[in-house]
Amino acid sequence: MDAPIISDINLAPETIASALNAVAAPVLAASTVLDLQPLPLARSNAPKLSASLDDLVAIETSGRLSNYGPVNDRFEQAMLKQVFKGRGCCLSVCNATIGLMLALKEAAHRRSHRAGGYVLMPSFTFAAAAHAVLWAGLEPLLVDIDETTWAADPVEERRLLDRDGERIVAIMPYATFGSAIDLTHYDRLADEYDLPVIVDAAASMGSLDEQGVAFGSGSRHTIVFSMHATKAFAVGECGLIYSADQAAVERLRRMGNFGFEGARSASMPGLNSKISEVVALSALIKLRDFETQAWHRMHLAEVYRNALGSCQLQDARGQRVPYQFMPALLPKGMASHREAIIAAAAAQGITIGTYFSPHIQQQPFFAPLCHAGRLSCTDDVASRIVSLPISDFMTVDDAFRVATFLDGELGRLRCRT
Ligand SMILES: *Cc1c(COP(=O)(O)O)cnc(C)c1O
């Protein structure tokens, strides 16, 4: 039997344990592998669809499977009420990538019927963000990040807006790893430069800002959340667009249904971004248990913060960041040891990732299609970043074990160099 790839973050622990044994048993003392639970980078906590048979039967008998049906309505309303305290408007989308594409296309369409233009966005983000810009017929203009928050550097943003102003059609900041970015800064940029702001909040469902309010709540910008299997709010393939601007959300809703307005006649650019009723039910079920899960992730992150003596951590903003994984920077000078550290961790059953390395400008498909300012901080952070395991199933002891391992490994490397 082929050993499954250990870095697949969706594998069950038993599968990973057997894979580890197959790979590592010949070279490691058996006890090292067998006694410790494998710690994958992330592990989806599936919504318990099987425990809601009545709701599934109701979908089957309703004859409504999609097209913003009754369960989808319930999901959007529940998110609005429970997460955003009833202010604004929610729209389900089939994933955040499509959600970002829709919002970008709408921004470009409203601004000018001519194609093209730049979107100001950080390079330290996931490939999906740059793909969305390109699918919308636009070009990424990459801005450097701040060395503490790892989100777009506000001084650099202004410099590029002043330099390339006429060509820029939208600003797309990323709320890095779910940490709350300062949305009032984007209110000012939107007004001063007369530009739409689309926030990539893919990792932010469950994030609470400094006032303890859900990130994005009350904002007139378009905030796009992911509910992908690997995010904290794991549904599978799903996403949510939020804005206090109801008319903007309703435009996106029509665009997400082929650009139809009333009759089956397209009055704007469109595609299909709808979710099926069963997905909406999954998402509703997820919402039921999510509050506890989000706090659990925050607690694991705090264990990491207290125990990771030798790494630099994100200056995380807000009262709660329900981390998808724990990001940390290896000390300066240790970047060249990252691969060896990841391999040593794998031998202990600990999966370490490197989000986002390579960053956008370093990826061969994007490099020739992007414009960029200076990216020195992005280069530095990407070279040293590691992503450490977090999941709903991990215990405080598990997080402590990973932190102790990493600190020990760094100490050993420091002694040798
Ligand atoms: C996960 C992620 C996305 C894409 O979300 P999907 O729902 O999987 O399409 C976009 N941007 C960032 C920063 C992400 O982490």
Side-chain angles (χ1 to χ4, degrees):
M1 190 193 81
D2 277 354
I5 300 160
I6 297 166
S7 64
D8 184 332
I9 53 187
N10 290 318
L11 290 179
E14 309 74 58
T15 321
I16 295 168
S18 79
L20 272 171
N21 285 337
V23 174
V27 284
L28 289 174
S31 60
T32 340
V33 170
L34 295 175
D35 295 351
L36 295 171
Q37 269 291 317
L39 294 173
L41 179 56
R43 194 182 151 211
S44 305
N45 190 0
K48 302 291 176 290
L49 205 47
S50 54
S52 295
L53 271 184
D54 290 352
D55 292 313
L56 280 171
V57 170
I59 291 174
E60 286 171 9
T61 48
S62 75
R64 289 290 298 276
L65 299 182
S66 184
N67 286 5
Y68 305 129
V71 185
N72 181 72
D73 279 352
R74 267 163 58 205
F75 165 51
E76 290 180 356
Q77 288 310 314
M79 294 305 290
L80 184 63
K81 194 159 157 236
Q82 292 175 44
V83 179
F84 301 103
K85 307 298 169 217
R87 293 173 64 195
C89 215
C90 287
L91 167 65
S92 63
V93 283
C94 53
N95 59 57
T97 310
I98 298 279
L100 291 170
M101 274 172 58
L102 267 185
L104 288 161
K105 185 77 184 168
E106 199 269 342
H109 175 71
R110 216 166 7 127
R111 194 163 172 85
S112 143
H113 290 270
R114 281 179 295 124
Y118 295 176
V119 176
L120 184 66
M121 61 174 280
S123 187
F124 189 66
T125 186
F126 189 53
H131 279 307
V133 170
L134 293 165
W135 276 105
L138 303 168
E139 297 166 74
L141 170 60
L142 303 174
V143 63
D144 208 0
I145 49 171
D146 175 84
E147 64 180 347
T148 62
T149 64
W150 309 341
D153 178 341
V155 178
E156 271 296 288
E157 280 177 325
R158 281 186 181 279
R159 192 178 70 78
L160 293 174
L161 283 162
D162 290 333
R163 193 191 73 182
D164 293 336
E166 282 308 299
R167 294 183 151 170
I168 299 173
V169 298
I171 307 173
M172 186 171 69
Y174 165 43
T176 309
F177 301 132
S179 169
I181 51 171
D182 177 12
L183 291 174
T184 61
H185 161 69
Y186 290 99
D187 294 344
R188 286 191 295 272
L189 289 189
D191 290 341
E192 284 173 41
Y193 295 90
D194 187 25
L195 286 171
V197 173
I198 293 139
V199 181
D200 182 349
S204 299
M205 186 47 75
S207 289
L208 301 179
D209 69 11
E210 260 98 29
Q211 284 74 46
V213 174
F215 175 72
S217 225
S219 173
R220 64 182 145 114
H221 308 305
T222 305
I223 321 278
V224 183
F225 298 91
S226 171
M227 295 170 173
H228 186 258
T230 55
K231 301 296 200 273
F233 197 106
V235 174
E237 293 291 350
C238 190
L240 191 82
I241 294 181
Y242 169 86
S243 178
D245 180 345
Q246 189 160 347
V249 175
E250 287 317 314
R251 274 198 301 277
L252 295 175
R253 186 185 298 282
R254 292 197 296 274
M255 281 180 75
N257 189 33
F258 310 104
F260 289 160
E261 207 158 356
R264 289 174 185 278
S265 165
S267 60
M268 60 180 97
L271 46 64
N272 181 356
S273 66
K274 292 163 292 177
I275 61 172
S276 63
E277 289 282 275
V278 175
V279 171
L281 178 60
S282 281
L284 263 173
I285 295 167
K286 185 72 191 178
L287 178 61
R288 249 182 248 159
D289 304 324
F290 184 61
E291 196 55 21
T292 324
Q293 296 165 1
W295 280 118
H296 181 66
R297 283 168 183 269
M298 179 70 183
H299 290 148
L300 294 175
E302 263 155 20
V303 173
Y304 274 126
R305 276 187 191 278
N306 292 328
L308 273 175
S310 45
C311 292
Q312 182 190 327
L313 299 174
Q314 183 184 25
D315 177 5
R317 303 293 170 88
Q319 289 186 11
R320 184 174 75 189
V321 183
Y323 279 112
Q324 175 184 7
F325 42 70
M326 185 68 191
L329 294 192
L330 300 177
K332 283 201 197 274
M334 286 288 166
S336 61
H337 296 290
R338 186 167 62 181
E339 284 313 307
I341 291 169
I342 291 172
Q348 300 288 319
I350 300 168
T351 307
I352 295 182
T354 59
Y355 291 90
F356 300 102
S357 173
H359 62 78
I360 300 294
Q361 180 66 24
Q362 292 174 327
Q363 301 180 33
F365 175 68
F366 297 127
L369 302 174
C370 293
H371 310 269
R374 74 159 167 83
L375 296 175
S376 50
C377 190
T378 305
D379 288 336
D380 174 48
V381 168
S383 74
R384 295 190 287 132
I385 196 97
V386 288
S387 329
L388 308 174
I390 285 192
S391 80
D392 297 349
F393 306 97
M394 266 175 70
T395 62
V396 163
D397 286 349
D398 291 335
F400 195 72
R401 176 181 142 211
V402 176
T404 312
F405 162 80
L406 186 57
D407 264 356
E409 204 63 20
L410 287 167
R412 202 168 22 254
L413 285 163
R414 233 190 242 110
C415 292
R416 285 208 336 236
T417 51

